[in-house]
Amino acid sequence: MKMVFRWFGEGNDQVPLAHIRQIPGVEGIVWALHDVPVGEEWPTEKIEAVRLQAEAHGFHIDVVESVNVHESIKLGLPSRDRYIENYKRTVEKLGRVGVKVICYNFMPVFDWIRTELYRELEDGSTALFYEKSLLQNMDPPELVRKIANHPKFTIPGWEPQRLEALSELFLAYRDVTEERLWSNLQFFLEEVVPVAERSGIRMAVHPDDPPWSVFGLPRIVTGRANIRRLLKLVDRPANGVTLCSGSLGADPANDIPAMIREFADRIPFAHIRNVRVYENGDFIETSHRTSDGTVDIAGIVQAYHDVGFAGYARPDHGRHLWGEQCRPGYGLYDRAMGIMYLWGLWDALERRNEGRRHCHAADQ
C-alpha cells in the first residue's frame, strides 16, 4: 500500500507540503489544477510547476484527483467531442510527467452532497453531515447557497462556472435516465481509456457520493453490481475504480470488503474513511477508528492486505480539530491521525503474517 495525501496547491491549501512531509509513510501528493475550468486542456507549465513543488519536498505526483468531466460529456451533447479531445490531451501530458492514476467521477451536476459542512460531534470536533429529510424539502439553489459560498477555499466539485448554470443544467438532465448516463459513460471510456493505457495511466472512477439519487438526478456508481457493470464497459486494466469506503459506506447494504476482494486487480486507488449512518438515513463523517462509525475500517484494511494491495491509498475526509481553520473535510490533524490508524492496522497484519511464517519455518 502506497500512502498519499490530498493537497490543493500553493495558495489554495492551508496545509503546507512541509507539514505533510512529517506524516510517517506518506510518499506522494494527490493533486489537481483547481484553477483550470472544467473541460479545458491542462497547461504543461502548470503541471510542471506542481511536479517541481512536490519533488522539492520528496513527493511524487503519481495520483491526480480529479480531471473533472465536463457536463456536456455526461449529457452526451454534440459539444462533448471537443471536451473529450481536451481530456485526451491532458491525459497524455500527465503521462509524460509520470502520473499513474487519474481519479474522476461521472456524477451529474454535484460531485458530492452534504447539508452541513461543520456539524458538531459529541467531542466538540466538527465534520461534514448529510441530513436526508432536509434535502427532501430543499431546492438545489438553496443547497448551493448553503454549501458553495465558502469565503476562503475552493470547494472541489462545486466549481462556480458549473453552479452559475444550475437551472439550465437541471433542465438539461430532465430527460437523462440512468441508462442514457451509462451510454454516455461508455462513450467517454471507449475514447479515453486507450489513450490512458498508452500513457501508462489507469482511469479510476469515484463512486457517487452519496450512493443514491438526489434531486432526481441519475446516479449509476453506487454499489457492487454497477461497479461490476462499469468495469465491463471497457474491460481493460486501465479502466478501474477509486474504491471510496466513505461514499459507498453511506449505504449500509454495501459490503466493501467483498468489493475489495472481487475488484482487487481493478482498484488502483483507495479512499479510506469512516461515516456513522443513522437509522433515519442521515450520516456524519467521523474519525477513521472503526468503532467511531458504521464502516468496518479494520475489515477493509484486512481485505486490502489479504489481496496484496500495492496501489495508492489516502485517508479521505477528516474531522476539523482543535480550532483548525481549514477546507471542509480537509484539515491536517484528523487526516494525519487517520493515516497512523491505517498504518497501525496494516503493521499489525504484517507482524501477524511474519509470526506465522516463522512458526511455519520452525515446523519444517
Side-chain angles (χ1 to χ4, degrees), residues 186 330 343:
Q186 182 168 1
Y330 286 100
W343 277 139

Side-chain angles (χ1 to χ4, degrees), residues 317-330:
H317 306 159
R319 299 168 297 152
H320 320 111
L321 304 180
W322 306 320
E324 184 179 20
Q325 298 299 306
C326 60
R327 175 180 278 100
Y330 286 100

Side-chain angles (χ1 to χ4, degrees), residues 31-311:
W31 63 285
L33 296 183
H34 297 281
D35 61 336
V36 176
V38 175
E40 297 304 311
E41 181 181 345
W42 286 14
T44 299
E45 62 275 14
K46 290 191 174 187
I47 295 170
E48 282 292 337
V50 175
R51 182 183 67 80
L52 292 172
Q53 291 160 8
E55 290 181 355
H57 289 83
F59 293 127
H60 63 65
I61 58 165
D62 291 5
V63 183
V64 168
E65 182 184 343
S66 299
V67 181
N68 284 326
V69 178
H70 196 274
E71 297 296 328
S72 292
I73 299 172
K74 300 173 192 175
L75 286 163
L77 302 178
S79 56
R80 70 180 173 182
D81 293 342
R82 176 169 71 89
Y83 292 113
I84 288 176
E85 288 306 310
N86 288 346
Y87 205 103
K88 290 178 185 178
R89 287 193 292 270
T90 296
V91 169
E92 290 170 341
K93 289 179 179 180
L94 293 174
R96 287 196 285 271
V97 297
V99 168
K100 303 294 189 295
V101 177
I102 292 174
C103 173
Y104 71 100
N105 73 76
F106 218 74
M107 289 178 256
V109 186
F110 301 110
D111 282 12
W112 53 271
I113 293 178
R114 299 292 186 274
T115 57
E116 195 170 336
L117 299 178
Y118 298 102
R119 180 65 168 254
E120 188 167 331
L121 287 150
E122 298 89 341
D123 60 8
S125 63
T126 63
L128 295 161
F129 177 68
Y130 179 96
E131 187 174 353
K132 185 176 182 180
S133 62
L134 185 63
L135 269 183
Q136 292 170 344
N137 299 297
M138 180 184 287
D139 61 20
E142 184 181 352
L143 180 66
V144 170
R145 288 192 294 272
K146 187 177 178 65
I147 299 298
N149 295 324
H150 198 285
K152 292 185 178 179
F153 306 110
T154 58
I155 305 292
W158 292 66
E159 294 83 8
Q161 302 94 330
R162 178 172 16 177
L163 298 178
E164 285 169 3
L166 199 65
S167 299
E168 293 86 345
L169 279 174
F170 268 87
L171 186 62
Y173 275 106
R174 186 177 56 187
D175 298 321
V176 177
T177 63
E178 287 189 0
E179 284 305 313
R180 184 173 162 192
L181 193 61
W182 274 113
S183 177
N184 295 339
L185 174 56
Q186 182 168 1
F187 185 91
F188 170 75
L189 290 174
E190 287 174 347
E191 290 288 320
V192 171
V193 168
V195 177
E197 199 168 57
R198 291 194 298 271
S199 301
I201 289 174
R202 298 181 71 184
M203 300 295 296
V205 72
H206 190 287
D208 299 339
D209 185 8
W212 53 73
S213 175
V214 180
F215 297 129
L217 295 168
R219 293 286 183 100
I220 59 175
V221 188
T222 59
R224 191 174 183 178
N226 47 30
I227 290 175
R228 190 181 297 134
R229 176 177 177 178
L230 179 142
L231 296 176
K232 289 179 179 177
L233 291 179
V234 177
D235 198 2
R236 295 156 79 159
N239 177 29
V241 60
T242 297
L243 201 74
C244 178
S245 66
S247 299
L248 294 166
D251 181 354
N254 280 327
D255 185 338
I256 299 165
M259 293 184 203
I260 294 167
R261 292 185 169 94
E262 178 175 353
F263 306 127
D265 61 342
R266 303 290 283 276
I267 305 173
F269 186 29
H271 287 182
I272 306 178
R273 66 175 165 90
N274 206 347
V275 295
R276 183 190 306 160
V277 181
Y278 299 97
E279 289 185 4
N280 64 358
D282 296 353
F283 64 86
I284 193 166
E285 301 183 358
T286 69
S287 85
H288 286 72
R289 186 172 179 237
T290 302
S291 59
D292 284 346
T294 308
V295 179
D296 183 9
I297 300 297
I300 286 167
V301 174
Q302 172 83 64
Y304 279 122
H305 194 270
D306 288 350
V307 301
F309 180 68

